[in-house]
Amino acid sequence: MRRFPLSVWGYALLLAILTSLPYVVGAGNTPDGWGYSGAATLPDGAVVDYNSHMAKIWQGARGQFDYHILFTHEDHAGLPTVQGFYVALGAFAGLTSLDFALAYHLARFILTVIMVLAIWAFMSRYLEEIGERWAGTFFATIVLGWSWILFFIAPDLVIQPERAPIELWLFDAYNLLGAFIMPHFAAVVILQIIAFLTFDSWLKTPQPKHILILTIVLLIDAIIQPYVVLMTFPIFGILTLHAVFIKRNITIRQVIWLAIPAMAH
């Protein structure tokens, strides 16, 4: 707790609150006779994804941990760990009798705070000046692209999905926007930061605990967001090659231990 200044805690809580306000406003302004599901209305696919996540949460709340596609009547075998984040969140909601939407947004709020703290920790590892750390943290959170200006100067471009800029349809391309829409995006950012900081620590002073942490974190990371493997494998590979052949601070024998987290991932 002490490693994070109070100002960083305040900033993390502020972003979590700000990204929660649209949902609070939506719930508070629901017309009589209507019900608010808790989904974001933009981008267009957000509602579909949200409803899908609610189905997974419902499945977890029933104690069904082998994932089934709930949008077909055809019988099929379940797959353990697939969509595990929301199934586990559903199990938590079932145990605590939480409303599914409330559990979803509670996870989103908490993980947004932790994500900002993780970003600060990442910046603190490589940047010495406080101002530099804040600049890096700002860029990793509130820098959300320029295309939002189109809402005011060229709205016709925005309402055509095939022509809309990436900020307006691929929210997970930006850390804060991803956390605003879905909690598992924030969870993945947190896990990736832990993985890279642990890997960096291992490169400096290789210890078994680093391999253990890396194995667990990369396994959970791949369960929550499988396609992240396409990014992490090349990056870890490049960093390992650099350490072995350029910096020469680790040996091939030490590199062999990386096969354990690699297989888990």
Side-chain angles (χ1 to χ4, degrees):
M1 301 288 284
R2 294 180 179 178
R3 67 181 298 178
F4 301 106
L6 287 177
S7 56
V8 177
W9 278 102
Y11 180 65
L13 288 169
L14 176 62
L15 291 184
I17 292 170
L18 290 176
T19 54
S20 299
L21 285 179
Y23 299 104
V24 174
V25 172
N29 289 274
T30 304
D32 293 336
W34 289 73
Y36 176 55
S37 68
T41 57
L42 290 172
D44 292 337
V47 175
V48 176
D49 289 339
Y50 177 83
N51 292 336
S52 172
H53 298 327
M54 287 296 106
K56 299 159 195 167
I57 292 174
W58 178 61
Q59 180 175 310
R62 293 187 300 172
Q64 298 177 343
F65 299 108
D66 52 338
Y67 176 71
H68 288 76
I69 299 175
L70 302 181
F71 308 102
T72 177
H73 67 283
E74 297 180 2
D75 189 31
H76 58 282
L79 293 174
T81 74
V82 173
Q83 299 293 346
F85 178 88
Y86 291 104
V87 173
L89 182 58
F92 172 78
L95 288 173
T96 57
S97 300
L98 276 178
D99 176 80
F100 292 170
L102 178 59
Y104 182 94
H105 287 292
L106 183 62
R108 189 190 53 74
F109 185 97
I110 293 172
L111 288 171
T112 297
V113 172
I114 298 174
M115 181 188 73
V116 177
L117 297 178
I119 290 171
W120 176 267
F122 184 86
M123 299 303 170
S124 299
R125 172 69 66 90
Y126 303 106
L127 301 174
E128 295 183 359
E129 300 294 330
I130 294 295
E132 294 174 343
R133 295 175 183 178
W134 273 114
T137 302
F138 286 148
F139 269 89
T141 51
I142 61 174
V143 173
L144 307 173
W146 289 94
S147 298
W148 299 100
I149 299 174
L150 292 174
F151 272 114
F152 306 101
I153 62 175
D156 290 341
L157 290 177
V158 177
I159 63 175
Q160 300 179 31
E162 68 278 3
R163 298 172 60 186
I166 191 172
E167 298 97 308
L168 308 180
W169 58 271
L170 187 63
F171 275 24
D172 51 316
Y174 298 88
N175 293 330
L176 189 60
L177 288 179
F180 165 64
I181 296 293
M182 299 175 195
H184 79 278
F185 286 142
V188 169
V189 172
I190 295 166
L191 290 169
Q192 288 173 357
I193 289 176
I194 295 174
F196 281 105
L197 292 182
T198 302
F199 183 74
D200 183 62
S201 297
W202 180 83
L203 289 177
K204 294 176 181 176
T205 53
Q207 297 180 28
K209 68 176 182 180
H210 296 142
I211 297 297
L212 177 61
I213 295 172
L214 201 57
T215 300
I216 295 172
V217 169
L218 289 178
L219 175 61
I220 299 173
D221 192 31
I223 290 173
I224 296 177
Q225 194 79 301
Y227 63 74
V228 77
V229 175
L230 299 175
M231 178 189 71
T232 50
F233 258 122
I235 294 177
F236 279 120
I238 292 171
L239 292 175
T240 301
L241 291 173
H242 180 266
V244 173
F245 297 108
I246 305 299
K247 296 189 70 175
R248 300 180 183 276
N249 58 343
I250 58 172
T251 65
I252 297 296
R253 179 175 296 181
Q254 290 172 319
V255 170
I256 293 174
W257 283 100
L258 291 178
I260 299 175
M263 287 187 292
H265 198 38

